């Protein structure tokens, strides 16, 4: 019985069979379907970008500061907000009214304020002056003196207070320069065990990994300014592209505003 089973297992060989149908119309349809399926596959792969990995870089080495602009342009008193400040007066309600009287030059301490990742340039400020008194200095004479100064008079019992708010424009703040250094750091895997980083003022790009020595290549950041409103390339500081930023990238507020189709 065992000998019979062994012979039965080794007495044959399987040979694959195929059937060929010769029909031109059927052949054209078959190849057309194959082409369509292949095209759909390539199209889906292209649209999905399956071979691409997108990672958002983080700010790295960001530093910025203000420097004075062109002295002649900054001191120009013929600009509208200096020559005719009254045309910019605006009253929202009894509490919020903006009545600029003139424009003045301010020192650097008043010209801007800076936080860790933002900077604010002063364009207008309000000075509030107040005096308080009691007794004979109050009453109708005190009210008359306060009104003559353009102030707001209040009194309670034998005490009184006069408050006057003055609005000032800063003279040509858009001529000031914003200088900055910037860079990026981006993780190259989901666990951030590999990364790439660079800063604009150093012509190197670093590739790092946990437990491995950092690799440095001669690659610089190329900085361009693109308008967010219409996508055009903006010329800044006399350059279309900043490659050498060892001393920082320096542009005027006027240039930045123009890039965004804005003005003061």
């Amino acid at each position: 019985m065992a000998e019979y089973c062994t012979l039965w297992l080794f007495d044959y060989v399987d040979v694959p069979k195929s059937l060929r149908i010769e029909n031109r119309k059927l052949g054209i349809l078959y190849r057309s379907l194959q082409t369509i399926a292949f095209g759909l596959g390539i199209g889906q792969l292209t649209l999905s970008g399956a071979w691409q990995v997108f990672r958002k870089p983080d700010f790295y080495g960001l530093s910025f500061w203000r420097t004075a602009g062109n002295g002649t342009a900054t001191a120009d008193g013929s600009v509208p907000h200096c020559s005719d400040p009254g045309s910019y007066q605006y009253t929202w309600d009894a509490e919020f009214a903006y009545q600029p009287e003139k424009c003045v030059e301010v020192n650097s301490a008043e010209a801007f304020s800076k936080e860790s990742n933002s900077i604010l340039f002063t364009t207008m400020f309000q000075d509030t002056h107040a005096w308080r008194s009691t007794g004979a200095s109050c009453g109708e004479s005190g009210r008359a003196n306060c009104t003559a100064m353009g102030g707001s008079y209040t009194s309670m019992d034998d005490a009184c207070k006069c408050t006057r708010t003055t609005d000032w424009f800063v003279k040509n703040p858009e001529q000031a320069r914003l200088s900055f250094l910037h860079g990026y750091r981006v993780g190259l895997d989901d666990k951030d065990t590999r990364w790439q980083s660079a800063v604009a003022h150093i012509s190197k790009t670093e590739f790092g990994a946990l437990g491995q020595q950092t690799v440095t290549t001669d690659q610089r950041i190329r900085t361009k300014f693109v308008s967010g409103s219409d996508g055009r390339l903006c010329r800044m500081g006399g350059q279309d592209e900043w490659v050498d930023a060892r001393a920082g990238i320096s542009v005027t507020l006027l240039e930045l505003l123009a890039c965004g189709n804005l003005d003061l």
Side-chain angles (χ1 to χ4, degrees):
M1 183 67 177
E3 181 181 358
Y4 174 77
C5 292
T6 301
L7 291 174
W8 182 77
L9 288 172
F10 291 97
D11 279 352
Y12 70 92
V13 176
D14 287 327
V15 178
K17 294 182 180 180
S18 62
L19 176 65
R20 180 173 181 175
I21 301 176
E22 295 186 2
N23 185 298
R24 181 176 296 275
K25 293 182 178 180
L26 184 60
I28 293 174
L29 177 62
Y30 176 65
R31 296 304 180 191
S32 298
L33 292 175
Q34 282 185 320
T35 303
I36 293 173
F38 180 77
L40 289 174
I42 294 298
Q44 182 65 27
L45 185 65
T46 302
L47 292 175
S48 66
W51 68 91
Q52 295 178 325
V53 177
F54 294 94
R55 301 191 185 278
K56 183 179 179 180
D58 297 317
F59 283 122
Y60 182 71
L62 179 63
S63 178
F64 45 87
W65 61 96
R66 175 197 177 274
T67 56
N70 179 276
T72 301
T74 302
D76 183 11
S78 64
V79 293
H81 73 281
C82 290
S83 61
D84 186 20
S87 63
Y88 293 87
Q89 294 184 357
Y90 176 76
T91 300
W92 173 260
D93 55 29
E95 184 177 357
F96 296 99
Y98 305 94
Q99 309 290 328
E101 298 179 4
K102 61 180 180 179
C103 63
V104 297
E105 295 186 38
V106 296
N107 58 45
S108 59
E110 297 176 311
F112 75 105
S113 59
K114 187 174 76 169
E115 297 182 2
S116 59
N117 59 355
S118 64
I119 186 170
L120 172 67
F121 286 80
T122 307
T123 58
M124 192 188 83
F125 58 92
Q126 294 181 323
D127 276 345
T128 300
H129 306 271
W131 60 258
R132 296 175 176 84
S133 189
T134 58
S137 297
C138 296
E140 290 304 319
S141 62
R143 183 185 299 276
N145 290 333
C146 182
T147 303
M149 293 188 301
S152 174
Y153 179 84
T154 57
S155 63
M156 180 177 292
D157 298 330
D158 65 339
C160 61
K161 174 183 173 182
C162 179
T163 304
R164 182 178 187 272
T165 299
T166 305
D167 296 343
W168 313 85
F169 277 132
V170 175
K171 184 176 284 187
N172 303 316
E174 67 274 21
Q175 297 296 336
R177 303 191 73 85
L178 173 64
S179 300
F180 64 94
L181 302 171
H182 73 100
Y184 71 91
R185 183 187 184 281
V186 60
L188 301 179
D189 57 28
D190 294 335
K191 296 182 179 180
D192 200 29
T193 60
R194 297 184 301 113
W195 62 87
Q196 175 181 333
S197 64
V199 287
H201 61 288
I202 300 176
S203 58
K204 303 290 183 182
T205 298
E206 294 184 345
F207 296 86
L210 292 178
Q212 298 182 23
Q213 186 175 359
T214 299
V215 177
T216 302
T217 62
D218 291 326
Q219 295 178 337
R220 293 185 177 185
I221 292 180
R222 311 178 76 89
T223 304
K224 296 181 180 181
F225 293 84
V226 179
S227 173
S229 60
D230 53 23
R232 61 187 170 83
L233 183 65
C234 301
R235 186 173 178 81
M236 294 287 190
Q239 301 185 49
D240 294 322
E241 179 181 80
W242 286 79
V243 179
D244 185 359
R246 286 172 293 181
I249 297 172
S250 181
V251 300
T252 65
L253 292 186
L254 185 64
E255 291 174 315
L256 288 172
L257 290 169
C259 186
N261 295 321
L262 301 170
D263 61 53
L264 291 180

